[in-house]
Amino acid sequence: MRRTSPETPVNAYGDLMLQTARVVRMRYVRCTRDPRLSPAEADELADLFERLARGDSGVDQIDPNEAIGLAFRILDDDHPEFSSLWPRRS
């Protein structure tokens, strides 16, 4: 039997969200050469993906299909800014 903690996802959706959070932090927080997202915005977005992975009830209003779509856009580096979940510049 697999033991899990509240931080450990138990399905492919959670695994995808955590992988995406790691990529966001690596690409936009640590390597700040990409101007599409500031380090602070990237950190907030990564936190969102981690909350989705944990099934946090505070993010229940987010469409899982939209989150999956953005995750794949981020992982593929395929215009993630087209997603409605992407932080908007003011």
Side-chain angles (χ1 to χ4, degrees):
M1 178 182 288
R2 180 179 171 190
R3 291 181 163 239
T4 61
S5 73
E7 302 291 321
T8 306
V10 294
N11 56 35
Y13 177 79
D15 288 339
L16 175 63
M17 297 300 111
L18 284 182
Q19 180 182 13
T20 304
R22 286 190 297 269
V23 168
V24 166
R25 284 206 168 92
M26 179 186 64
R27 190 177 292 159
Y28 299 103
V29 177
R30 293 187 190 118
C31 303
T32 58
R33 293 181 295 180
D34 194 323
R36 290 180 290 181
L37 204 59
S38 74
E41 291 168 323
D43 202 39
E44 287 180 27
L45 186 59
D47 286 344
L48 173 68
F49 279 111
E50 289 170 347
R51 291 176 68 195
L52 288 166
R54 290 191 308 268
D56 185 331
S57 62
V59 292
D60 281 349
Q61 75 282 5
I62 293 177
D63 178 5
N65 291 323
E66 185 65 31
I68 291 168
L70 176 55
F72 283 121
R73 284 181 175 276
I74 288 170
L75 295 176
D76 294 341
D77 199 18
D78 184 22
H79 298 286
E81 66 276 7
F82 293 160
S83 170
S84 64
L85 294 178
W86 189 257
R88 300 289 176 224
R89 298 263 163 127
S90 23

